[in-house]
Amino acid sequence: MVTQFGIKFAVHLITNHFGNLVSKVCENLLSRGPLTLDQLIRFTELTREQVKNSLLVLVQHNCAQAFVPAVEDGDDDVDRLRVRTQYLALFDNIIHRLRFPKFLEIVSSQKGYEDCVELLDGLLRDGRLTLKQMVDRASQGKENAVATKVQESLSKLLMARYVERCPVPEPIVSTIFKDETTTRKRGAKSAKIFEPPETIEQRVVEAAVPGEAIRFSLTADMGSNAGEDTKLEDSQMISVGENVAKEELILWRANFEEFIRHLRHKVLIDNVRAQHDDGTATVLGAILEATRTVEKKVKKENSVPLALDTIITEVMKTETGRTMTMDRIRASLGQLGCSQKMIVDDSYSIDLKKIIERARNEEVESIVLKRYGSDAYRMFRLLSNDSCFHDTDQIAGSTLVEKKEAPKLLFKLWKDNYLYMEKIFVPGAKISNILLWKVNKPLLWEYVLDEMYHAALNLSLRMAFEQEKDEELLNLPKDKLKEGPLHKKYKRLLNVWLLLGSSLMKLDDALMLFHDF
């Protein structure tokens, strides 16, 4: 879901990285949806050349995707002639730019991948690169040839799926959604929720992904892929050759999907470890690792079913797992929610969605506790753990909150969008209106996510302010900052940056929990 402050935060990131012109184009794509080149020129009031260059920057850094709307059967000849390339901002990829340090940490912490960090850093910084560009980048300031080393590092990253071939530049995508009945329709505090339909962004991204046979292949003899010449609309936008014959012309990029999957698995395992023990976390980790290459979606609700023998084999590969007996592994599977009734053909599947939902609940509960106090926390937790409505007196009695205080706290939570309320009129009763309360989790999580984007934007703006305020200090030679008043001022600036940066990274963990996982 893309929220109001989510768009503002994404535009802020693009402004920081690429300047105002590129961010203006990006903002229009995020707020208006897919647009043609002519539409972007009209909406941004920039020159054709400025818009083209901005689009090139966004595509180069995987923040936008070009596509061609498919011609539908009912379109007349005039409509067919009007079909032109459109451009779509990739919100998730823009926000991923905040996570580049986390992506690098994942690779640097894995044994045998230490030499791959520099190559990955180049792809994250420069966007899409050919093998030749990677070699040229790695050769700067070095006398010895590094082509072999770069190719080995690229091969390792491809095998681990941390790098992939770039997507098809202009896939043909149908923009017609036949089933409109699933669209979410609600007021500001409505309780009715309809599952959101497939978005045009999802369709475009899926259509642009190369086939699995070539997506992680190092050689170029397996058909066309993203890649060679760049051009903008009217033969000048980014395009790809039908047959790429040389590896030097293949474009590569970091595979954000794999990094997010890795971070999601870490959250799943850490939450299970906190709730149960190391053994249960080890079993879950073994299952996730065994099924990593066959997962089709990052947000998969259930793990891929595995036979018990396969699970035992994977568990025994780990240091903790070698101390576990078969009965202990079975008990861990039970703790993970795999009851005997759920097992089909001796295959076990874990409800991953339930683990993520529990983590989200704990995150929101901690916000309520800090913001509204322990009484409100107990009432909110009661409603959060039960999908049914509860009246005010029932909530107060169950949570031991004074009857006079309970309505005030409930109204405050409702006013701040943490609760949903309904009034029931009872004719002839002493109290004609009865207030019923519940937690509407999908709406609440969307609201909390928008608040988190707002907080992330404020943190980023504060970091930019601190940097601008002390710009002269940062430009001074290092030897002048070693002692005296300037040293204290410089040390204070570093401490502020460290605090703000760590707070932003911690907030981003929560952002991923509600948006990416």
Side-chain angles (χ1 to χ4, degrees):
M1 65 190 83
V2 181
T3 66
Q4 175 188 355
F5 281 105
I7 292 177
K8 291 183 179 180
F9 182 49
V11 172
H12 171 74
L13 290 175
I14 293 298
T15 304
N16 274 357
H17 293 175
F18 307 115
N20 293 326
L21 292 181
V22 178
S23 70
K24 194 170 186 179
V25 172
C26 183
E27 183 176 10
N28 274 272
L29 291 174
L30 286 170
S31 58
R32 299 176 185 271
L35 297 172
T36 64
L37 178 62
D38 290 337
Q39 288 173 325
L40 277 168
I41 294 171
R42 184 167 70 254
F43 291 137
T44 60
E45 299 181 350
L46 299 175
T47 66
R48 178 172 290 266
E49 194 65 26
Q50 287 174 325
V51 174
K52 286 179 180 179
N53 290 335
S54 297
L55 285 170
L56 281 173
V57 170
L58 290 171
V59 172
Q60 170 67 26
H61 290 273
N62 307 299
C63 298
Q65 173 69 47
F67 71 97
V68 178
V71 177
E72 304 297 330
D73 294 337
D75 295 340
D76 55 27
D77 292 338
V78 175
D79 291 329
R80 294 171 189 270
L81 292 174
R82 287 176 180 170
V83 172
R84 303 187 70 183
T85 302
Q86 295 185 7
Y87 304 94
L88 177 75
L90 302 178
F91 175 81
D92 288 354
N93 285 6
I94 296 171
I95 301 299
H96 288 335
R97 300 189 64 81
L98 180 67
R99 295 151 190 164
F100 286 177
K102 295 179 181 179
F103 298 166
L104 289 170
E105 177 62 25
I106 289 172
V107 173
S108 63
S109 63
Q110 292 189 5
K111 188 176 181 180
Y113 285 85
E114 296 85 357
D115 296 337
C116 302
V117 175
E118 184 178 350
L119 178 60
L120 177 62
D121 182 59
L123 288 170
L124 293 175
R125 287 175 181 272
D126 300 334
R128 306 178 178 200
L129 297 175
T130 64
L131 180 59
K132 184 178 184 302
Q133 288 172 325
M134 294 182 212
V135 172
D136 292 343
R137 188 180 186 279
S139 301
Q140 293 178 1
K142 298 179 181 178
E143 297 180 358
N144 299 327
V146 294
T148 302
K149 183 179 178 181
V150 169
Q151 190 160 345
E152 288 176 355
S153 296
L154 178 60
S155 181
K156 280 184 182 180
L157 291 171
L158 282 169
M159 187 170 294
R161 300 196 171 199
Y162 291 135
V163 169
E164 63 178 353
R165 294 194 187 200
C166 288
V168 176
E170 294 183 10
I172 298 174
V173 180
S174 173
T175 57
I176 302 299
F177 294 89
K178 296 181 180 179
D179 185 10
E180 300 292 344
T181 59
T182 57
T183 304
R184 176 179 295 183
K185 297 180 180 179
R186 60 178 176 85
K189 298 183 186 297
S190 171
K192 295 183 179 180
I193 288 296
F194 298 92
E195 285 300 320
E198 181 186 23
T199 64
I200 184 62
E201 180 176 349
Q202 290 170 333
R203 282 192 182 181
V204 170
V205 170
E206 185 176 348
V209 173
E212 289 293 315
I214 65 172
R215 185 179 177 186
F216 304 104
S217 173
L218 184 60
T219 57
D221 58 353
M222 303 187 72
S224 64
N225 189 45
E228 51 188 1
D229 299 319
T230 59
K231 58 179 181 178
L232 288 170
E233 193 173 276
D234 298 327
S235 301
Q236 294 186 50
M237 284 311 293
I238 286 188
S239 182
V240 73
E242 291 299 325
N243 293 292
V244 181
K246 297 180 181 179
E247 284 85 349
E248 289 81 5
L249 298 179
I250 301 175
L251 282 170
W252 305 95
R253 70 173 188 177
N255 180 17
F256 297 152
E257 184 182 85
E258 184 61 32
F259 287 109
I260 294 300
R261 180 182 287 113
H262 188 282
L263 292 171
R264 180 176 186 254
H265 287 180
K266 183 179 183 300
V267 167
L268 288 165
I269 294 168
D270 288 347
N271 273 270
V272 166
R273 179 178 287 110
Q275 186 183 17
H276 299 292
D277 51 40
D278 288 340
T280 307
T282 298
V283 172
L284 177 60
I287 292 174
L288 294 175
E289 180 62 26
T291 59
R292 181 177 64 88
T293 58
V294 295
E295 284 188 33
K296 296 299 181 183
K297 295 181 179 179
V298 174
K299 297 182 181 180
K300 196 169 182 65
E301 295 185 357
N302 295 294
S303 65
V304 177
L306 283 180
L308 179 61
D309 289 343
T310 304
I311 295 173
I312 293 172
T313 301
E314 292 297 324
V315 170
M316 295 302 177
K317 292 179 181 178
T318 65
E319 184 176 348
T320 305
R322 284 190 285 271
T323 65
M324 300 176 68
T325 63
M326 185 181 296
D327 288 341
R328 179 67 183 86
I329 294 174
R330 283 183 181 274
S332 294
L333 290 169
Q335 288 180 316
L336 290 169
C338 288
S339 63
Q340 195 65 37
K341 294 180 181 179
M342 298 172 57
I343 301 168
V344 180
D345 298 329
D346 200 33
S347 294
Y348 292 77
S349 180
I350 312 299
D351 187 351
L352 304 178
K353 182 181 178 181
K354 187 175 180 180
I355 301 173
I356 293 296
E357 285 188 356
R358 184 168 59 244
R360 288 175 178 174
N361 289 340
E362 291 175 355
E363 184 70 30
V364 178
E365 287 169 6
S366 68
I367 295 174
V368 171
L369 178 61
K370 292 176 183 176
R371 189 174 297 181
Y372 304 99
S374 57
D375 287 347
Y377 164 76
R378 292 199 304 276
M379 291 192 294
F380 178 83
R381 192 175 186 190
L382 170 71
L383 296 171
S384 179
N385 292 331
D386 191 346
S387 59
C388 299
F389 280 99
H390 293 264
D391 63 52
T392 306
D393 290 341
Q394 185 182 5
I395 296 170
S398 300
T399 57
L400 302 179
V401 177
E402 291 186 12
K403 286 190 175 182
K404 290 183 179 180
E405 288 297 318
K408 297 178 183 178
L409 292 171
L410 290 170
F411 269 108
K412 195 170 185 180
L413 289 169
W414 170 77
K415 187 178 179 181
D416 291 345
N417 297 301
Y418 281 83
L419 292 181
Y420 170 71
M421 177 189 69
E422 278 193 4
K423 290 182 180 180
I424 296 181
F425 177 71
V426 182
K430 188 175 182 180
I431 301 176
S432 58
N433 288 327
I434 297 178
L435 302 182
L436 299 179
W437 311 87
K438 70 177 292 186
V439 173
N440 191 319
K441 290 183 180 179
L443 288 184
L444 173 59
W445 289 340
E446 183 176 340
Y447 171 74
V448 169
L449 177 63
D450 197 43
E451 277 197 324
M452 289 179 177
Y453 282 129
H454 193 181
L457 176 62
N458 288 338
L459 279 172
S460 298
L461 290 172
R462 176 64 187 275
M463 291 178 71
F465 169 76
E466 292 291 340
Q467 182 175 357
E468 184 178 354
K469 185 181 68 172
D470 296 308
E471 187 174 1
E472 293 183 2
L473 180 67
L474 296 173
N475 293 329
L476 290 175
K478 294 292 183 182
D479 56 340
K480 291 186 178 182
L481 302 173
K482 291 182 178 180
E483 56 185 3
L486 289 179
H487 173 70
K488 291 182 179 179
K489 192 175 180 181
Y490 182 67
K491 191 174 181 180
R492 176 227 168 242
L493 176 61
L494 291 181
N495 290 334
V496 170
W497 273 3
L498 181 62
L499 177 61
L500 293 174
S502 60
S503 298
L504 185 58
M505 289 297 101
K506 187 175 181 180
L507 180 58
D508 181 54
D509 291 338
L511 278 173
M512 287 190 289
L513 182 64
F514 284 86
H515 179 73
D516 298 275
F517 300 162

